[in-house]
Amino acid sequence: VLVRMIREPARTGQVSLDGHDAKPSLRGALRYVTKRRLAYATLALGMATSPLIGYSWLWLPTVFERTFGVATTQFAFIYGVILLIGGPAGAILGGKISEYLYRRGHPDANYITTRGALWLMVVLSTAIPLSPSPIVALVLLFPATMVGAATTATGAAAAVFAAPGQYRAQITSFYVLTISLIGLGVGPPLVGWLNDNIFTSDDGVRFSVAFVSGVVCSLLVALMFFGRKAYHDVIIDLEQATNER
């Protein structure tokens, strides 16, 4: 009921592309994304790293308890403080870096920033469970949280910036659905499976979490190297179409 009371703002940034009218439709959005599948697929699969690591972090309380002897209540409080500070700081920092790169002549600034932050997230998230002490792990957890928040902000911006106004909502929905299904559907279950079948010792969960970040997520982020040019071309085409209106 409340949603129906919200007045939809006027749509902006609608452009005619591929010889089709600038009218919003699900079929048009699917056609648009399919034609530019390399750009969108590499962005979505690469960005799936962020929720994949994030959901695998649901095992971090277990890692800290079994590996370092830190009680779950202690870890929860410390991590809450880290999230409270590092989350907003990372999101703001990611946006600032993207703005800087865009002003420096990189139309695909959001893509570049997202890819760089994801690599940092992979490295830090792999190192956290393998740390020699809880202090080192917690110190690494702060920047890992920051870059994770940065990827969330710039990744979403990258998806929005690559979509014409009439398809922006649909394409954003595709993007969020893809990364959420991979993150939630693969992250926690994969860690659990590795615990039961590969790393079966009491502290084996640390290696399971490290494997997801260091191996699985590295492969996903690597895909983004193949999609940057395609994404760059999408942005250029949109800017040209907008300027020709």
Side-chain angles (χ1 to χ4, degrees):
V1 175
L2 291 176
V3 172
R4 291 184 177 276
M5 295 173 63
I6 299 174
R7 192 171 186 176
E8 184 174 352
R11 293 178 181 267
T12 60
Q14 299 185 42
V15 295
S16 180
L17 293 166
D18 305 331
H20 302 287
D21 294 334
K23 295 180 180 179
S25 69
L26 180 59
R27 179 178 296 180
L30 289 171
R31 187 189 303 117
Y32 180 85
V33 171
T34 301
K35 189 170 182 178
R36 297 157 180 83
R37 53 188 174 273
L38 180 59
Y40 282 105
T42 54
L43 173 63
L45 291 174
M47 253 308 296
T49 296
S50 185
L52 185 57
I53 290 177
Y55 285 120
S56 70
W57 279 4
L58 294 174
W59 288 91
L60 280 184
T62 305
V63 171
F64 273 78
E65 185 170 19
R66 294 184 183 180
T67 304
F68 305 121
V70 177
T72 299
T73 52
Q74 286 181 294
F75 173 78
F77 175 79
I78 297 172
Y79 185 44
V81 174
I82 291 175
L83 277 175
L84 188 64
I85 300 173
I92 293 171
L93 180 60
K96 292 295 183 183
I97 293 174
S98 289
E99 289 178 6
Y100 172 78
L101 291 175
Y102 189 83
R103 290 195 299 267
R104 294 287 298 242
H106 296 281
D108 54 348
N110 286 310
Y111 193 97
I112 298 171
T113 305
T114 300
R115 187 179 64 182
L118 284 172
W119 275 122
L120 282 174
M121 190 180 186
V122 165
V123 172
L124 292 169
S125 299
T126 303
I128 289 169
L130 302 179
S131 298
S133 71
I135 299 300
V136 173
L138 289 171
V139 168
L140 293 174
L141 187 57
F142 185 82
T145 300
M146 284 190 64
V147 294
T151 63
T152 301
T154 58
V160 170
F161 270 68
Q166 66 269 30
Y167 303 143
R168 198 162 289 156
Q170 293 95 327
I171 290 175
T172 302
S173 298
F174 297 155
Y175 165 82
V176 173
L177 178 64
T178 301
I179 66 173
S180 298
L181 285 176
I182 295 175
L184 185 58
V186 177
L190 180 56
V191 173
W193 184 86
L194 290 169
N195 292 342
D196 292 338
N197 297 277
I198 307 297
F199 307 110
T200 56
S201 62
D202 289 342
D203 65 343
V205 63
R206 67 189 303 200
F207 302 111
S208 300
V209 173
F211 181 89
V212 171
S213 300
V215 178
V216 178
C217 292
S218 291
L219 295 174
L220 291 176
V221 180
L223 294 175
M224 296 188 73
F225 282 99
F226 300 100
R228 182 187 169 186
K229 184 181 183 303
Y231 180 87
H232 179 275
D233 292 343
V234 169
I235 300 298
I236 294 299
D237 289 344
L238 274 178
E239 290 182 347
Q240 290 177 347
T242 302
N243 293 333
E244 291 172 358
R245 291 178 61 197

